[in-house]
């Protein structure tokens, strides 16, 4: 069975075609700059690459590019579209409506649409992606939606409520939802597998650290708390996002600078974080390099990031009443080994001990344990694979499992 996984953003659409017999990626690519001018990239599992500037005015035109590439004489990987058994979509916001993956129906599309106010850019783009897919691939190919928020739906109310007047929860569904759920779900299960234990018996803290970052506390396979909130702005400092801060900082700066809510949104989401503090870049590699060559603000940005990761791991250890394993994943978590080392050194009080040599070598897709044999807590680097989770869920649902 071959499954096409789609991640539709407002101006981009990533795809992977996965062969579920061995879970290998047969082809993957990205439609970039949709509605702007258009750039298309396609790569096959056996290393054939195709890249071109091509106008894509909307998601339907982007899907036509994907379809053509998959069927292409030189760069194609299938002979007939009917070889694509099902399509799985990543959806950022499932709100309180969707606590698990589901087959797409008109009601499901309406449900995702109704959540657009909670994730304006993302959910609107996802709906465009689903509708475009129906147009290009036809109604006979089943589609499944997998939600970033779903894994977090087990959080208790005390963890997901914000202490604002209760009416805003009732009127507008203002609460913590959490994001990156598919990633946290994948790496926590993989962690249990690597430990050779049932996830039901484990307390795990997963650190998804990338351009967007979130940290999650998982008890017995169920999320009990996560750092992102109503939107992906909450939690630890990120590439360009603030993470959590005193809400008065927002009103104070807005008043001083005469900023509208939209202006403030731009400051908090696009101009802050590593970029805002360092003034160098939002990319951790650039900031780390600048810090190493003596840039003090870059060093401060790194110090804040590591301090915040440490604070979340510390507080979630208390929430869980101990921790069996800590997992690092995503661009920073999988590659920037100095952050892992510095954070874990500070956790020595909890019995965490990292093997520095193994840690250094655990980059660029290497999966494995980085804790020393005598560490009381297992520490892992696990490359995330959200597409695989989406493909697995899609297969299960279309097989009626
Ligand atoms: P992500 O959002 O998961 O793609 O992560 C992006 C972040 O990971 C950026 O801050 C990068 O600096 C950092 N990173 C470090 N090393 C790598 C790498 N080899 N590949 C991709 N991202 C990396």
């Amino acid at each position: 069975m071959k499954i096409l996984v789609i991640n539709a953003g407002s101006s981009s659409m990533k795809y992977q075609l996965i062969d579920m017999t061995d879970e290998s990626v047969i082809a993957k690519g990205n439609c970039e700059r949709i509605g702007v001018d258009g750039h298309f990239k396609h790569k096959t599992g056996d290393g054939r690459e195709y890249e071109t500037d091509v106008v894509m005015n909307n998601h339907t035109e982007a899907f036509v590019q994907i379809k053509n590439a998959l069927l292409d004489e030189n760069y194609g990987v299938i002979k007939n579209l009917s070889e694509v058994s099902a399509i799985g979509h990543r959806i950022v916001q499932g709100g309180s409506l969707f606590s698990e993956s589901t087959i797409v129906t008109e009601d499901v599309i309406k449900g995702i649409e109704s959540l657009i106010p909670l994730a304006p850019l993302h959910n609107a783009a996802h709906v465009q992606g689903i509708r475009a897919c129906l147009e290009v691939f036809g109604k006979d190919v089943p589609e499944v939606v997998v939600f970033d928020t779903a894994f977090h739906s087990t959080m208790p109310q005390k963890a997901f409520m914000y202490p604002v007047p209760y009416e805003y929860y009732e009127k507008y569904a203002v609460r913590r939802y959490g994001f990156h759920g598919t990633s946290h779900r994948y790496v926590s299960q993989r962690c249990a597998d690597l430990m050779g234990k049932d996830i039901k018996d484990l307390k795990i803290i997963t650190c998804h650290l990338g351009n967007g970052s979130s940290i999650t506390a998982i008890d017995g396979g169920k999320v009990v708390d996560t750092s992102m909130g109503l939107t992906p702005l909450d939690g630890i400092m990120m590439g360009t996002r603030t993470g959590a801060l005193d809400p008065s900082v927002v009103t104070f700066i807005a008043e001083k600078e005469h900023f509208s809510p939209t202006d403030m949104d731009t400051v908090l989401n696009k101009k802050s974080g590593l970029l805002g503090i360092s003034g160098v870049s939002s990319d951790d590699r650039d900031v780390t390099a600048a810090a190493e060559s003596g840039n003090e603000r870059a060093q401060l940005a790194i110090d804040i990031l590591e301090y915040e990761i440490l604070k979340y791991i510390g507080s979630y250890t208390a929430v869980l009443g101990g921790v069996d394993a800590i997992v690092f994943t995503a661009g920073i978590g999988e590659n920037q080994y100095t952050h892992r080392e510095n954070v874990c050194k500070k956790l020595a009080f909890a019995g965490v001990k990292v093997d520095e040599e193994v840690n250094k070598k655990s980059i660029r897709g290497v999966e494995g344990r980085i804790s020393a044999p005598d560490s009381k807590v297992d520490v892992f680097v696990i490359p995330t694979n959200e597409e695989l989770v989406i493909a697995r869920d899609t297969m299960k649902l279309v097989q009626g499992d």
Side-chain angles (χ1 to χ4, degrees), residues 152 179-181 184 206-210 212-216 226-228 234 236 238:
H152 301 302
F179 297 89
H180 297 139
H184 290 290
T206 47
C207 308
H208 177 113
L209 311 173
S213 300
S214 64
I215 300 185
T216 296
T226 190
S227 62
M228 279 181 169
D234 200 358
I236 64 168
M238 305 174 219

Tab-separated table of all heavy atoms in Angstrom, residues 152 179-181 184 206-210 212-216 226-228 234 236 238:
chain	number	residue	atom	x	y	z
A	152	HIS	N	-2.273	15.607	22.636
A	152	HIS	CA	-2.329	16.373	23.898
A	152	HIS	C	-3.731	16.381	24.523
A	152	HIS	O	-3.932	17.002	25.566
A	152	HIS	CB	-1.881	17.815	23.653
A	152	HIS	CG	-0.488	17.937	23.109
A	152	HIS	ND1	0.611	17.437	23.771
A	152	HIS	CD2	-0.015	18.482	21.970
A	152	HIS	CE1	1.704	17.682	23.049
A	152	HIS	NE2	1.351	18.302	21.959
A	179	PHE	N	0.955	21.642	20.651
A	179	PHE	CA	1.211	21.336	19.235
A	179	PHE	C	2.359	20.337	19.135
A	179	PHE	O	2.835	19.854	20.170
A	179	PHE	CB	1.502	22.640	18.466
A	179	PHE	CG	0.297	23.557	18.489
A	179	PHE	CD1	0.130	24.476	19.522
A	179	PHE	CD2	-0.699	23.443	17.541
A	179	PHE	CE1	-0.998	25.281	19.592
A	179	PHE	CE2	-1.833	24.252	17.601
A	179	PHE	CZ	-1.982	25.169	18.613
A	180	HIS	N	2.777	20.041	17.914
A	180	HIS	CA	3.807	19.013	17.655
A	180	HIS	C	3.398	17.652	18.218
A	180	HIS	O	4.257	16.808	18.485
A	180	HIS	CB	5.175	19.374	18.306
A	180	HIS	CG	5.807	20.618	17.798
A	180	HIS	ND1	6.442	21.508	18.646
A	180	HIS	CD2	5.932	21.117	16.560
A	180	HIS	CE1	6.919	22.516	17.930
A	180	HIS	NE2	6.623	22.303	16.656
A	181	GLY	N	2.094	17.444	18.419
A	181	GLY	CA	1.652	16.204	19.080
A	181	GLY	C	2.089	14.949	18.348
A	181	GLY	O	2.445	13.943	18.966
A	184	HIS	N	5.719	14.349	19.264
A	184	HIS	CA	5.862	13.859	20.651
A	184	HIS	C	5.380	12.406	20.762
A	184	HIS	O	5.957	11.604	21.494
A	184	HIS	CB	5.084	14.762	21.613
A	184	HIS	CG	5.684	16.125	21.773
A	184	HIS	ND1	6.882	16.341	22.429
A	184	HIS	CD2	5.279	17.341	21.349
A	184	HIS	CE1	7.163	17.641	22.407
A	184	HIS	NE2	6.212	18.265	21.758
A	206	THR	N	9.552	14.680	26.487
A	206	THR	CA	10.023	14.791	25.110
A	206	THR	C	10.266	16.264	24.778
A	206	THR	O	9.405	17.115	25.026
A	206	THR	CB	8.998	14.188	24.130
A	206	THR	OG1	7.694	14.670	24.457
A	206	THR	CG2	8.987	12.671	24.206
A	207	CYS	N	11.443	16.549	24.225
A	207	CYS	CA	11.811	17.927	23.891
A	207	CYS	C	11.921	18.052	22.385
A	207	CYS	O	12.891	17.574	21.790
A	207	CYS	CB	13.154	18.300	24.518
A	207	CYS	SG	13.257	17.969	26.284
A	208	HIS	N	10.904	18.627	21.764
A	208	HIS	CA	10.924	18.879	20.317
A	208	HIS	C	11.477	20.290	20.148
A	208	HIS	O	10.797	21.277	20.419
A	208	HIS	CB	9.498	18.765	19.751
A	208	HIS	CG	9.400	19.080	18.288
A	208	HIS	ND1	9.085	18.129	17.336
A	208	HIS	CD2	9.591	20.241	17.600
A	208	HIS	CE1	9.085	18.681	16.128
A	208	HIS	NE2	9.381	19.971	16.273
A	209	LEU	N	12.744	20.378	19.733
A	209	LEU	CA	13.409	21.679	19.662
A	209	LEU	C	13.795	21.982	18.223
A	209	LEU	O	14.725	21.373	17.675
A	209	LEU	CB	14.667	21.680	20.549
A	209	LEU	CG	14.486	21.165	21.989
A	209	LEU	CD1	15.828	21.056	22.704
A	209	LEU	CD2	13.550	22.082	22.769
A	210	GLY	N	13.058	22.887	17.598
A	210	GLY	CA	13.356	23.266	16.218
A	210	GLY	C	13.154	24.757	16.068
A	210	GLY	O	13.375	25.505	17.026
A	212	GLY	N	10.282	25.989	15.784
A	212	GLY	CA	9.259	26.020	16.819
A	212	GLY	C	9.611	24.916	17.804
A	212	GLY	O	10.080	23.855	17.384
A	213	SER	N	9.433	25.177	19.089
A	213	SER	CA	9.842	24.177	20.083
A	213	SER	C	8.738	23.929	21.094
A	213	SER	O	8.030	24.861	21.483
A	213	SER	CB	11.076	24.661	20.843
A	213	SER	OG	12.147	24.879	19.960
A	214	SER	N	8.617	22.675	21.508
A	214	SER	CA	7.718	22.400	22.621
A	214	SER	C	8.232	21.210	23.421
A	214	SER	O	8.918	20.341	22.885
A	214	SER	CB	6.287	22.144	22.140
A	214	SER	OG	6.202	20.996	21.344
A	215	ILE	N	7.905	21.215	24.685
A	215	ILE	CA	8.337	20.160	25.601
A	215	ILE	C	7.081	19.557	26.223
A	215	ILE	O	6.138	20.286	26.568
A	215	ILE	CB	9.307	20.724	26.667
A	215	ILE	CG1	10.536	21.315	25.946
A	215	ILE	CG2	9.708	19.659	27.688
A	215	ILE	CD1	11.644	21.816	26.835
A	216	THR	N	7.059	18.220	26.322
A	216	THR	CA	5.838	17.542	26.765
A	216	THR	C	6.134	16.524	27.862
A	216	THR	O	7.146	15.810	27.798
A	216	THR	CB	5.173	16.851	25.548
A	216	THR	OG1	4.780	17.848	24.617
A	216	THR	CG2	3.940	16.052	25.936
A	226	THR	N	2.000	20.122	28.380
A	226	THR	CA	2.874	20.478	27.258
A	226	THR	C	3.067	21.982	27.236
A	226	THR	O	2.219	22.722	27.731
A	226	THR	CB	2.288	19.946	25.929
A	226	THR	OG1	3.266	20.107	24.896
A	226	THR	CG2	1.015	20.674	25.508
A	227	SER	N	4.195	22.413	26.670
A	227	SER	CA	4.572	23.827	26.838
A	227	SER	C	3.854	24.774	25.882
A	227	SER	O	3.651	25.934	26.217
A	227	SER	CB	6.084	23.991	26.702
A	227	SER	OG	6.516	23.595	25.415
A	228	MET	N	3.484	24.319	24.667
A	228	MET	CA	2.754	25.231	23.782
A	228	MET	C	1.301	25.334	24.246
A	228	MET	O	0.810	24.446	24.950
A	228	MET	CB	2.827	24.756	22.333
A	228	MET	CG	4.131	25.149	21.660
A	228	MET	SD	4.155	24.606	19.938
A	228	MET	CE	5.613	25.472	19.350
A	234	ASP	N	3.381	29.849	22.927
A	234	ASP	CA	3.633	29.635	24.355
A	234	ASP	C	4.842	28.706	24.569
A	234	ASP	O	5.288	28.028	23.652
A	234	ASP	CB	2.364	28.995	24.975
A	234	ASP	CG	2.299	29.153	26.486
A	234	ASP	OD1	3.232	29.716	27.090
A	234	ASP	OD2	1.289	28.703	27.072
A	236	ILE	N	8.736	27.532	25.565
A	236	ILE	CA	10.119	27.991	25.596
A	236	ILE	C	10.409	28.943	24.437
A	236	ILE	O	9.716	28.933	23.424
A	236	ILE	CB	11.137	26.826	25.579
A	236	ILE	CG1	11.059	26.036	24.269
A	236	ILE	CG2	10.944	25.915	26.751
A	236	ILE	CD1	12.227	25.095	24.105
A	238	MET	N	11.870	30.417	21.102
A	238	MET	CA	12.093	29.708	19.825
A	238	MET	C	12.914	30.563	18.873
A	238	MET	O	13.458	31.584	19.280
A	238	MET	CB	10.739	29.340	19.220
A	238	MET	CG	9.896	28.543	20.193
A	238	MET	SD	8.245	28.224	19.626
A	238	MET	CE	7.353	28.425	21.174
